[in-house]
Amino acid sequence: MNLFSTPSTTSPPPPKASPDGAFEAPNRTARSACWTARDSFFACLDAHGIVDSITHKEEAERCCGAEEKGLRRDCASSWVTYFKQRRVMEFKRKQTLEKLAAEGARPMPEGIGPPRLAEGK
């Protein structure tokens, strides 16, 4: 590929700037395409037993390169990073909760612990 040639795959247009200079958020269709690409990438990672695609980048690229390319194409780079980090966090959270349950831990009674926000706020 030449230095100034156009890429072979089409990528979404860059986000539009609003009058105040901030970028416009993706619309419903763009978000849906992003989530579909995320789900496809995560399904591939699950099929290959990969939890952390950041730490195990080479293996993830080898096994799920096409799906990751779709994720990067359809999602903002900050979303890609967020999804990958959240996947690891949720995995560790699940492991911790399972370990606590195996040790006989019980949920704390209502009113003890940090306050919870009401749903929808």
Side-chain angles (χ1 to χ4, degrees):
M1 183 163 104
N2 292 339
L3 182 60
F4 298 106
S5 67
T6 57
S8 60
T9 59
T10 59
S11 59
K16 298 176 186 173
S18 64
D20 65 356
F23 292 105
E24 293 180 5
N27 63 21
R28 182 177 297 186
T29 304
R31 288 191 308 268
S32 179
C34 175
W35 295 330
T36 300
R38 176 204 59 194
D39 294 345
S40 174
F41 178 58
F42 285 178
C44 180
L45 292 176
D46 289 342
H48 290 91
I50 303 169
V51 173
D52 189 347
S53 62
I54 296 172
T55 303
H56 302 104
K57 183 176 182 175
E58 293 81 19
E59 185 180 3
E61 286 177 353
R62 183 173 34 84
C63 298
C64 304
E67 290 83 355
E68 184 173 17
K69 189 174 184 179
L71 179 68
R72 292 189 179 283
R73 180 193 64 228
D74 293 339
C75 302
S77 62
S78 60
W79 287 30
V80 172
T81 302
Y82 170 78
F83 290 149
K84 288 179 175 184
Q85 290 173 344
R86 182 168 175 103
R87 175 180 168 85
V88 175
M89 182 273 307
E90 288 177 350
F91 177 79
K92 288 180 179 179
R93 178 180 179 270
K94 181 180 177 190
Q95 281 187 321
T96 301
L97 292 174
E98 288 173 354
K99 179 182 174 188
L100 288 171
E103 293 173 354
R106 294 176 298 171
M108 294 173 58
E110 262 321 292
I112 297 178
R116 295 188 178 188
L117 295 175
E119 292 294 319
K121 291 187 178 181

